Amino acid sequence: MTATSASGWRVVYFGTPEVAVAPLRALCGAGHDVVLVVTRPPKRRGRRQAPTPSPVEDAAADLGLEVTYDLDDAVGVEADLGVVVAYGEFIPEDVLEPRPTVNLHFSALPRWRGAAPVERAIMAGDAEAGVCLMDVASEIDTGAVYRRASTEIGPHETADELRTRLCELGIGLLLGALAEGFGEPVPQTGETTWADKISPEDLRIDWSAPAEHVLRLVRVGGAWTTLGNRRLKILEAEPAAGAADSGADGSGDSGADSGSGDSKAAGTIWQVLGSGNRSAVQVATGRGALMLVTVQSEGRPAVSARDWINGARIADGQRFDA
């Protein structure tokens, strides 16, 4: 693959969400000619809101680029390369055929092929995550890889934070290949795992799981539970200080007021007096306990866990629904 212009590559860009904005801007900033941007149509963000353009469409408008929602519009465009970053829909072969097309995929392929690689890596407790610049093949995420990079996943890193770092690494891979040449791609090897799209049920908290498992869901974003059949999102949480490794069935330390949650049933809520006479909201899990930091009740704005427990008049000993 080579550019037909000495000044840079002519690119058709396929992308939709926020994570696809930075690579688009980087291509333009490096002097490449993005001749067409293909993105998904505007979507409603709420029941009563008007449809809003995708982040990529907004960025393309700011950059003065031509935008389309129709994949067929890409077929007749004269370009050297197609670049795909989280487009959000299968791209048919007849759209790909006129030019080589590469994809930035945010995983260490073949681990986590599919729609939600960053979220699945965190949920699985992976120590590392990766990004691959790969050839687009007819089967999802099976193409040979031109370049790859990896990074450790921080113990408290959220999916959004990790995705941003992987995107920065991916931009380096893409711009490097455009400047230095792609070379021959290397076929994927190793065990394949699938990163299915995250469903709301995937994010429902099982309080009988160990505290570290619950924290992974919170880091993914959108973790929720119910209390009295009312949904509550857990936006931020931390390991409770002094939480031990014994189970919530009472098999650990017998001190019910130790603050660890070890002798409390999973899902039990209570307050612990902290510094400055301020209380912390804790919840028992199947092993250890969590301190809730920020929560959001259904239909309400996000608040601190202390404000929520006081405003909702939650008594010590109440339990989140199973």
Side-chain angles (χ1 to χ4, degrees):
M1 285 190 285
T2 56
T4 56
S5 169
S7 61
W9 294 68
R10 289 173 56 82
V11 175
V12 176
Y13 191 81
F14 303 83
T16 300
E18 187 63 40
V19 72
V21 170
L24 175 61
R25 291 189 178 277
L27 285 169
C28 294
H32 301 292
D33 184 9
V34 180
V35 295
L36 181 67
V37 173
V38 187
T39 190
R40 303 291 296 135
K43 287 181 63 176
R44 295 183 186 275
R45 308 299 171 187
R47 280 187 233 171
R48 299 182 181 179
Q49 294 180 349
T52 56
S54 72
V56 163
E57 182 175 356
D58 281 340
D62 183 53
L63 292 164
L65 304 175
E66 184 179 349
V67 176
T68 183
Y69 311 135
D70 190 345
L71 284 166
D72 290 338
D73 289 343
V75 174
V77 173
E78 184 179 337
D80 306 311
L81 183 70
V83 174
V84 181
V85 184
Y87 173 63
E89 185 178 280
F90 178 75
I91 301 175
E93 286 190 41
D94 64 318
V95 177
L96 301 174
E97 281 175 356
R99 65 195 67 84
T101 302
V102 296
N103 177 28
L104 273 183
H105 184 77
F106 301 113
S107 84
L109 291 168
R111 184 163 180 79
W112 302 128
R113 291 176 179 170
V118 174
E119 291 82 356
R120 293 295 178 186
I122 290 176
M123 290 167 69
D126 288 2
E128 288 190 344
V131 58
C132 291
L133 179 64
M134 57 179 286
D135 186 39
V136 175
S138 57
E139 295 184 33
I140 186 168
D141 298 335
T142 59
V145 176
Y146 291 99
R147 298 186 177 206
R148 62 170 68 225
S150 63
T151 183
E152 290 186 2
I153 300 176
H156 307 295
E157 194 166 28
T158 66
D160 285 344
E161 290 167 344
L162 177 57
R163 189 180 292 106
T164 297
R165 289 204 301 116
L166 291 173
C167 185
E168 291 171 356
L169 288 174
I171 289 170
L173 299 182
L174 176 60
L175 295 185
L178 292 172
E180 301 161 10
F182 284 81
E184 287 298 317
V186 178
Q188 298 178 30
T189 59
E191 182 182 358
T192 298
T193 57
W194 287 95
D196 294 332
K197 184 177 179 180
I198 302 295
S199 71
E201 197 58 34
D202 288 329
L203 296 173
R204 182 169 187 167
I205 296 172
D206 174 7
W207 293 106
S208 68
E212 61 267 27
H213 290 194
V214 178
L215 275 174
R216 290 175 198 162
L217 279 191
V218 174
R219 289 163 56 202
V220 164
W224 62 279
T225 186
T226 56
L227 182 65
N229 294 320
R230 287 187 63 84
R231 186 173 292 206
L232 181 77
K233 287 185 178 180
I234 310 300
L235 303 182
E236 294 180 82
E238 300 173 358
D245 287 337
S246 55
D249 58 0
S251 59
D253 189 339
S254 62
D257 296 322
S258 67
S260 70
D262 297 336
S263 60
K264 296 176 173 64
T268 300
I269 309 163
W270 76 100
Q271 297 187 72
V272 175
L273 193 62
S275 59
N277 291 327
R278 300 196 73 185
S279 61
V281 180
Q282 298 194 4
V283 184
T285 71
R287 187 174 67 231
L290 294 183
M291 181 176 72
L292 304 187
V293 178
T294 307
V295 301
Q296 184 177 16
S297 296
E298 201 168 8
R300 295 179 178 272
V303 296
S304 72
R306 284 189 295 264
D307 288 345
W308 166 73
I309 200 170
N310 291 330
R313 299 181 181 179
I314 307 299
D316 281 6
Q318 284 188 249
R319 292 176 63 188
F320 286 117
D321 302 328

